[in-house]
Amino acid sequence: MSVSPAVDTAATAGEAILRRQRIRESSARTYARSFPIVPVRAHGMTVEGADGRRYLDCLSGAGTLVLGHNHPTVLEAIRRTLDGGAPLHLLDLATAEKDDFTTALFEALPPAFAARARIHFCGPAGTDAVEAALKLMQTATGRRGALAFTGAYHGMTAGALAVTGSVAAKAPLPGGGEVTRLPYPYPYRCPFGLGGDRSAALSAAYTERLLDDPAGGVTAPAAMILEAVQGEGGVVPAPDDWLRTMRRITTERGIPLIVDEVQTGVGRTGAMWAVEHSGIVPDAIVMSKAIGGSLPLAAVVYREEYDGWRPGAHTGTFRGNTLAMAAGAATLRYVAAHGLVERSRQVGARMAARLAGLQSRLPVIGDVRGRGLMLGVELVDPAGTPDSCGALPADPHLAVRVREACLQRGLIVELGGRHDAVLRLLPPLTITDEQAEAVLDRLADAVEAASRTSA
């Protein structure tokens, strides 16, 4: 097949850009290693590279792009703000755009939570909102420690990293605070070696007994922080009953409960907020990613009785990007007006069912799980020895080959999980039925092909 000179020239320019990136950017770059492409255009779920190839994007900015790339509603909100001459940077001063965004956000929050809530705008990343939430509860309670869970991911700054579970990320750095690590229920790889529903029951019992044990070594914590669905941890949903139990345990002991909805918020799991599946009302919700409508924005929303910190107690230059607030308000309203939360639930259920069907004929698929359009496929070595739960060893090398095979077939998926062996699907909520089928077709073909090469 012949290649037009224009495409050939663009491809050559793309290769030069990739070469300069390798030379000039830090060794900490991540996605650039997994996806050696140079995107030049994007719309909806489709990304076009400099070489003219098109890809279906199931990464979506790590869950940021709930409306996909360059959605017309988002672009119109940005253009309207620019054309209107609104100031783009005003620290934390009041603006019409901030007021409108806050209204849209509070309308989207669970009513029982929003009724008595305050919002603090943070630096533009979710990790800063985690830092703010932890500092807020330390200030309110006068305590220092935190309760966090195995498999957790809350960010890469000091406090957020301290409550993150990844040993690899924490090992090179000095200690980041007094954190008590609790077992997160993970039926496929149960921390207690039993599996199934018993994982959640034992996790809850262990947590309650540890906190009540006068010789358990845990001083009264400032907060508990958790994810209703662990994203980077491998797309592990917390059972609703377990979340309700965590809420009861923290309430009875006067421990503020922080729920990290950075990746799960704005319809991703088939509810506007993942906590709504269980019906719990946390003391604080940390949010970022989708709330900015593809632009950087982060906030922590919390019950007003915790609003005890002094002016400037958590500050920063970029607290609330005007364009992000305009884009975020438009996104929140579009999701609600067009039934995308229910769409996420329905399409996600269909995709999960088909993935479960693949599991029956592809033994390298050990587990399929998730909620809404937040799906995970754990790849395993079928020749390995099962553990006490019956789970086969994770196969991260196969996962890398599958990711590469997906990219060759025009599909962008990223890895996560304890051993980087979980294929994570985070498509936009605007995914069409045809695109969903194409994603699954390409993924199935990639898994089969990669499995053959390892046989």
Side-chain angles (χ1 to χ4, degrees), residues 202-275:
L202 286 172
S203 169
Y206 176 86
T207 298
E208 192 157 23
R209 283 172 168 75
L210 181 66
L211 293 176
D212 290 345
D213 185 349
V218 181
T219 58
M224 173 187 282
I225 183 167
L226 58 80
E227 299 156 276
V229 181
Q230 289 191 340
E232 304 298 325
V235 194
V236 184
D240 292 339
D241 283 344
W242 181 83
L243 286 170
R244 288 189 280 266
T245 301
M246 290 302 105
R247 177 69 284 192
R248 175 186 62 78
I249 288 172
T250 52
T251 298
E252 290 175 354
R253 290 157 183 79
I255 302 170
L257 177 62
I258 303 167
V259 176
D260 183 339
E261 292 254 18
V262 167
Q263 193 166 107
T264 54
V266 194
R268 171 61 57 190
T269 68
M272 183 62 86
W273 307 96
V275 293

Side-chain angles (χ1 to χ4, degrees), residues 40 97 130 173 208 276 296 330 345 378 403:
V40 293
E97 290 77 16
V130 170
L173 304 172
E208 192 157 23
E276 293 181 284
R345 187 189 67 78
E378 184 157 354
R403 180 179 62 193

